[in-house]
Amino acid sequence: MPTEICDRAIVAPAASGADAAENISEVRSQESLLKTGALQNAIFNSANFSSIATDANGVIQIFNVGAERMLGYAAAEVMNKITPADISDPHELVARASALSIELETPIAPGFEALVFKASRGIEDIYELTYIRKDGSRFPAVVSVTALRDAQGSIIGYLLIGTDNTARKQAEEALLKAGALQNAIFNSANFSSIATDATGVIQIFNVGAERMLGYAATDVINKITPADISDPQELIARAHALSAELETPIAPGFEALVFKASRGIEDIYELTYIRKDGSRFPAVVSVTALRDAPGGIIGYLLIGTDNTARRQSEAEQKELGQRLRDHQFYTRSLFESNIDALMTTDPSGIITDVNKQMEALTSCSRDELIGAPFKNHFTDPERAEASIKLVLSKKKVTNYELTARARDGRETPVSYNATTFHDRDRRLQGVFVAARDITERKKAESQILNLALYDSLTGLPNRRLLNDRLVQTMAASKRSGHYGALMFMDLDNFKPLNDTQGHHVGDLLLIEVAQRISRGVRAVDVVARFGGDEFVVILNELDEDKIKATAHAAQVAEKLRALLDKPYVLKFKQEGKTETTVAHHCSTSIGVIVFRNHEETQDDLLKWADTAMYQAKEAGRNLIRFYQAKT
């Protein structure tokens, strides 16, 4: 996430007058939490939160891994294409727009505007809504909205951070279990109270049920069961889970809704109710079996509440306190669950906090790390210390590579990304650091480089690396005044082996040829596979005298010709067969050019050595020819 978004996402929009005073009071009462805001933004890409950033028009610009996991979309499917309203329950958008229009006394459209209107006016906004996944399934979410502003205070976009609502609902379960309260509010319009007979057919459908579900009592009494107004997929899932939990087959209908209650087990669960108009809303349902005097079941009572009504009934202070505790918990969870090694330091580079990944990276406990200098845990302390100074001056550092050293001496290359973080009053608190293990990336880069520069069969430099080495040799020869030599070698009698025995046997011969050539030259010389059955040798630093240099090159060429003229015994084993031995004779024709201080290019040298090689072929093969320039 860009730093400007991170920085702005933690700054509340400006207010004025009495609102500003109230905001300032509230802000300062939450100071301990808000100091962690920079950390929360710095770890924006955690999979535990759906973090969605839009431009000023609502079009999605950032869609983090948490949003991908929760909603089932890949970022590429939504970025620059849709708004968060397109993945929200349309009926809830209509309801929210209507409610806000009344509350704020201004018309609000039931789309993206309804999601961000309060935030756009500098009003803190945290609300509940139902998100719709790519596969059409739904889940309740708590969404915090922040307007993102530029330096002049103009809105450049919005940040919507969403969390699953399940945990908070479960935290309120104790209230829903209070049977006396259920009975007291049976006829309240705030609760859907539905009573059935023993078979599940609805007998009572109170005013709250009518209001929530859109049916008149006469539409459902003696006609349907509560299963008929419940999400059928959730009924199947509930029946399956209960069957496994209670080790007995349970049908995915009304039985799944009341089975526990029928066995005397207290039951409160969540499900999605479907209104008469087809819209949906999440409900918490408490089920009680209704019994006659002897204890026989004569029906069931299902009391449901929706999240909105329950949330509106909570005390403001309790809501704020719970939200603060949730934020603290979520912030720490994000910090600990991040795949990167995370830490914070004070401005002088002393570690103030770490996560488990940092403990694993250094083999030190959290207590051992806190209070220690950041630089002590890297192979280059000066470079590590410089990174802290750099981020303090630049505000951020990205892809700064360091090597972490564990207490046991283990070294791990890391990509170091860091940013400064501040308190609510923008006072510098220190540096937030994320160090990602890039061992595998380094290996992959090395492998890619190897594939690009070396022949995969023989392990010798390929044509690309040969050109580079030849340029270096020509430059060195020009500086030192010593001659170098280039040998172009082509195998004689190689094609018949490929044609009669197959390419796998031909490959074995090429590997053996590469090994023989490598054994016949010095370590400072270069052996490369030019392609097919062609090889090139570069001899470095021969002699300042051309006659001596040519004699040396001829001596090496003859040595190589003799090595390659020896018989080849190639052994291989095919799957399901015994080992096979193939004997083959394969000589080589060699063209040589001696050079020093040439103005020609490496391509010219290769062409001339190749010309000399063909002269050796035409003269009878298994010969050596030196290139002679035409005069």
Side-chain angles (χ1 to χ4, degrees):
M1 183 177 181
T3 299
E4 58 267 29
I5 292 181
C6 290
D7 287 342
R8 292 164 187 152
I10 62 171
V11 178
S16 63
D19 290 340
E22 183 179 347
N23 288 344
I24 292 170
S25 176
E26 181 183 5
V27 163
R28 290 180 175 168
S29 70
Q30 302 174 37
E31 184 174 13
S32 60
L33 169 67
L34 294 171
K35 286 183 179 179
T36 68
L39 303 185
Q40 196 167 359
N41 283 281
I43 50 181
F44 174 86
N45 283 317
S46 168
N48 293 328
F49 285 83
S50 67
S51 298
I52 302 172
T54 77
D55 61 20
N57 296 319
V59 180
I60 295 173
Q61 303 298 308
I62 296 176
F63 195 81
N64 84 328
V65 66
E68 289 181 324
R69 180 180 63 79
M70 290 186 187
L71 288 156
Y73 290 93
E77 294 176 301
V78 298
M79 287 170 59
N80 292 313
K81 295 178 182 177
I82 65 173
T83 77
D86 296 315
I87 55 174
S88 303
D89 186 301
H91 297 285
E92 293 181 5
L93 289 180
V94 172
R96 177 169 172 80
S98 176
L100 285 176
S101 297
I102 294 171
E103 176 188 347
L104 303 176
E105 298 180 346
T106 184
I108 298 172
F112 180 70
E113 183 182 20
L115 297 180
V116 301
F117 190 87
K118 279 192 171 183
S120 71
R121 297 302 187 272
I123 305 170
E124 183 181 28
D125 200 12
I126 300 177
Y127 53 80
E128 294 181 5
L129 85 166
T130 300
Y131 272 153
I132 304 174
R133 299 186 179 92
K134 183 179 179 180
D135 64 6
S137 60
R138 300 163 178 246
F139 69 100
V142 174
V143 180
S144 172
V145 185
T146 303
L148 306 176
R149 300 175 183 271
D150 60 21
Q152 288 72 41
S154 298
I155 292 177
I156 59 172
Y158 298 89
L159 175 64
L160 292 82
I161 297 181
T163 60
D164 191 286
N165 204 23
T166 304
R168 188 181 58 79
K169 291 180 181 179
Q170 291 174 341
E172 298 167 346
E173 189 173 283
L175 174 62
L176 297 173
K177 288 181 180 178
L181 178 59
Q182 287 177 333
N183 289 315
I185 58 176
F186 179 81
N187 289 312
S188 169
N190 294 321
F191 294 85
S192 66
S193 299
I194 303 172
T196 76
D197 61 17
T199 63
V201 179
I202 296 173
Q203 302 299 307
I204 298 174
F205 197 77
N206 84 330
V207 66
E210 290 182 319
R211 183 182 61 80
M212 289 183 190
L213 290 155
Y215 292 95
T218 55
D219 294 335
V220 297
I221 291 176
N222 290 317
K223 295 178 181 178
I224 65 172
T225 77
D228 297 315
I229 56 173
S230 303
D231 186 302
Q233 297 301 319
E234 293 181 7
L235 288 179
I236 293 172
R238 177 170 171 80
H240 180 75
L242 285 175
S243 297
E245 176 188 349
L246 303 176
E247 300 180 347
T248 185
I250 298 172
F254 180 70
E255 183 182 17
L257 297 179
V258 301
F259 190 86
K260 279 192 171 182
S262 72
R263 299 301 188 271
I265 304 170
E266 188 173 40
D267 198 11
I268 299 176
Y269 53 81
E270 296 184 19
L271 86 167
T272 300
Y273 272 153
I274 304 174
R275 298 186 180 95
K276 183 178 181 179
D277 64 6
S279 62
R280 299 165 176 243
F281 69 97
V284 174
V285 180
S286 171
V287 185
T288 304
L290 305 175
R291 300 176 183 272
D292 58 18
I297 292 177
I298 58 173
Y300 298 92
L301 175 63
L302 293 82
I303 297 181
T305 60
D306 68 34
N307 291 332
T308 303
R310 185 171 67 252
R311 185 174 181 85
Q312 289 173 345
S313 69
E314 293 174 347
E316 184 67 25
Q317 187 58 44
K318 179 181 178 182
E319 179 184 334
L320 176 61
Q322 185 60 52
R323 183 156 52 88
L324 293 177
R325 289 190 293 273
D326 286 347
H327 282 188
Q328 289 171 330
F329 171 76
Y330 289 141
T331 298
R332 191 69 211 178
S333 296
L334 285 169
F335 196 67
E336 289 296 348
S337 64
N338 200 283
I339 63 171
D340 295 336
L342 304 181
M343 74 198 86
T344 58
T345 76
D346 66 17
S348 65
I350 301 300
I351 296 173
T352 56
D353 200 3
V354 298
N355 69 349
K356 295 292 184 183
Q357 295 290 358
M358 187 61 185
E359 292 182 69
L361 187 67
T362 60
S363 297
C364 296
S365 69
R366 183 168 182 265
D367 289 341
E368 291 171 325
L369 290 167
I370 293 176
F374 163 82
K375 65 180 181 179
N376 288 359
H377 300 283
F378 296 88
T379 57
D380 189 341
E382 291 183 359
R383 179 172 168 78
E385 186 173 30
S387 71
I388 296 291
K389 295 178 180 178
L390 185 62
V391 72
L392 290 174
S393 63
K394 302 289 187 181
K395 306 304 180 187
K396 69 174 182 178
V397 169
T398 57
N399 300 323
Y400 188 98
E401 292 191 7
L402 292 169
T403 300
R405 179 189 289 135
R407 181 159 48 192
D408 59 7
R410 172 174 47 89
E411 295 183 358
T412 306
V414 298
S415 177
Y416 165 99
N417 296 279
T419 183
T420 55
F421 68 95
H422 305 74
D423 64 15
R424 183 68 176 182
D425 296 322
R426 304 304 298 157
R427 289 190 294 263
L428 176 67
Q429 297 299 295
V431 174
F432 175 84
V433 176
R436 176 164 295 185
D437 184 345
I438 56 172
T439 302
E440 293 304 317
R441 193 190 83 188
K442 288 291 187 182
K443 287 181 181 178
E445 289 173 352
S446 177
Q447 291 171 351
I448 291 170
L449 181 62
N450 192 65
L451 289 172
L453 299 178
Y454 291 88
D455 175 50
S456 60
L457 177 65
T458 64
L460 295 177
N462 61 16
R463 187 181 301 191
R464 180 178 178 182
L465 183 55
L466 168 68
N467 285 333
D468 182 64
R469 296 287 172 82
L470 183 53
V471 169
Q472 294 178 21
T473 301
M474 292 171 69
S477 173
K478 188 173 184 178
R479 288 194 303 270
S480 68
H482 286 256
Y483 280 90
L486 179 69
M487 299 182 185
F488 203 104
M489 311 168 70
D490 185 88
L491 299 181
D492 306 320
N493 197 36
F494 175 72
K495 188 174 183 298
L497 177 66
N498 257 354
D499 293 343
T500 58
Q501 300 296 331
H503 288 284
H504 64 287
V505 178
D507 287 347
L508 291 176
L509 187 138
L510 292 173
I511 293 171
E512 176 64 23
V513 167
Q515 293 172 348
R516 291 187 186 185
I517 296 174
S518 297
R519 290 197 298 269
V521 299
R522 303 167 298 176
V524 296
D525 299 324
V526 178
V527 180
R529 184 184 177 194
F530 196 74
D533 59 345
E534 297 175 329
F535 293 83
V536 173
V537 175
I538 303 173
L539 302 179
N540 293 283
E541 297 291 314
L542 294 179
D543 200 282
E544 294 181 359
D545 182 79
K546 185 173 183 179
I547 295 176
K548 292 181 180 179
T550 302
H552 188 170
Q555 182 181 15
V556 175
E558 175 57 29
K559 179 181 178 182
L560 294 178
R561 187 204 63 77
L563 283 172
L564 298 181
D565 192 40
K566 293 180 180 179
Y568 294 85
V569 179
L570 308 172
K571 296 182 179 181
F572 62 94
K573 184 176 181 181
Q574 294 178 315
E575 186 175 354
K577 297 182 180 180
T578 58
E579 185 176 71
T580 302
T581 300
V582 174
H584 186 73
H585 179 262
C586 184
S587 60
T588 186
S589 299
I590 304 176
V592 187
I593 181 168
V594 176
F595 60 86
R596 182 186 69 174
N597 198 25
H598 274 282
E599 296 299 329
E600 293 80 3
T601 67
Q602 72 271 22
D603 290 334
D604 292 329
L605 294 182
L606 286 166
K607 179 178 68 176
W608 293 335
D610 183 52
T611 298
M613 180 273 294
Y614 274 106
Q615 291 172 355
K617 288 268 190 191
E618 292 168 356
R621 302 188 176 187
N622 197 20
L623 296 172
I624 301 166
R625 288 291 183 269
F626 278 75
Y627 176 77
Q628 298 295 330
K630 294 180 180 180
T631 56

